[in-house]
Amino acid sequence: MLFRSHIAEGVDASSRAEFDILVNNNLLVGELVLIHGVALTSVEFQQMANVGATLVWSPLSNLLLYGQTADIAAARQAGVRIALAPDWAPSGSKSTLHELKVADLWDDEILGDIISDYELVQMVTVNAARATGWENDVGTLTPGTAADLVVID
């Protein structure tokens, strides 16, 4: 069963403490799809990686609402599966392609280009499919799966 939750959206200690509530209630499981995680540190990301949980990164919404995004470098370092998706239209991207553009810009200008184009594409395809348990149906160009193909230079 998939378990999605908007956790640690803010940047303060109480936002980070929402993660502790998950842990204390045995809800930090592989089926967890944690949306935002702006207040999380390498410690929490390592815990997520240990159980196979997924982080959904919504950089534009995070930047507009909190002035920063989840620490994607720390999440990657810990081995967390990262999916990329818009949060919601009032405070974020209107489409996944726009969110990709924001993520790529953030990566280039702030993170020092640590995320390859291939990894960014994985975040919106196979990583998202695995996070939702749909990897046998979508997310890759594999015979028998549904797919749309976009070629971008």
Side-chain angles (χ1 to χ4, degrees):
M1 181 170 80
L2 183 62
F3 172 47
R4 293 174 297 171
S5 186
H6 286 243
I7 295 290
E9 285 192 57
V11 294
D12 57 5
S14 66
S15 295
R16 205 228 37 90
E18 294 171 353
F19 188 84
D20 295 334
I21 294 169
L22 285 177
V23 172
N24 293 335
N25 286 283
N26 298 315
L27 296 172
L28 181 56
V29 294
E31 298 83 8
L32 174 65
V33 178
L34 192 148
I35 303 161
H36 296 299
V38 178
L40 301 183
T41 69
S42 58
V43 171
E44 292 82 26
F45 289 132
Q46 189 60 60
Q47 291 176 284
M48 288 179 65
N50 290 345
V51 300
T54 300
L55 173 69
V56 176
W57 184 31
S58 301
L60 183 59
S61 179
N62 295 164
L63 289 167
L64 291 173
L65 293 172
Y66 311 112
Q68 66 187 62
T69 78
D71 187 348
I72 294 305
R76 283 179 75 248
Q77 180 75 27
V80 172
R81 178 188 304 120
I82 302 168
L84 176 70
D87 182 25
W88 66 320
S91 69
S93 298
K94 307 292 189 259
S95 72
T96 302
L97 288 176
H98 188 240
E99 201 69 26
L100 271 167
K101 182 178 179 179
V102 172
D104 187 44
L105 181 64
W106 184 258
D107 175 50
D108 290 348
E109 299 297 323
I110 304 301
L111 299 179
D113 198 25
I114 64 170
I115 305 170
S116 70
D117 291 344
Y118 184 78
E119 286 177 285
L120 284 170
V121 171
Q122 285 183 308
M123 289 179 187
V124 297
T125 57
V126 67
N127 289 4
R130 287 182 181 142
T132 58
W134 293 359
E135 65 273 15
N136 294 326
D137 301 307
V138 299
T140 60
L141 296 175
T142 306
T145 63
D148 292 325
L149 184 61
V150 177
V151 178
I152 301 172
D153 181 15

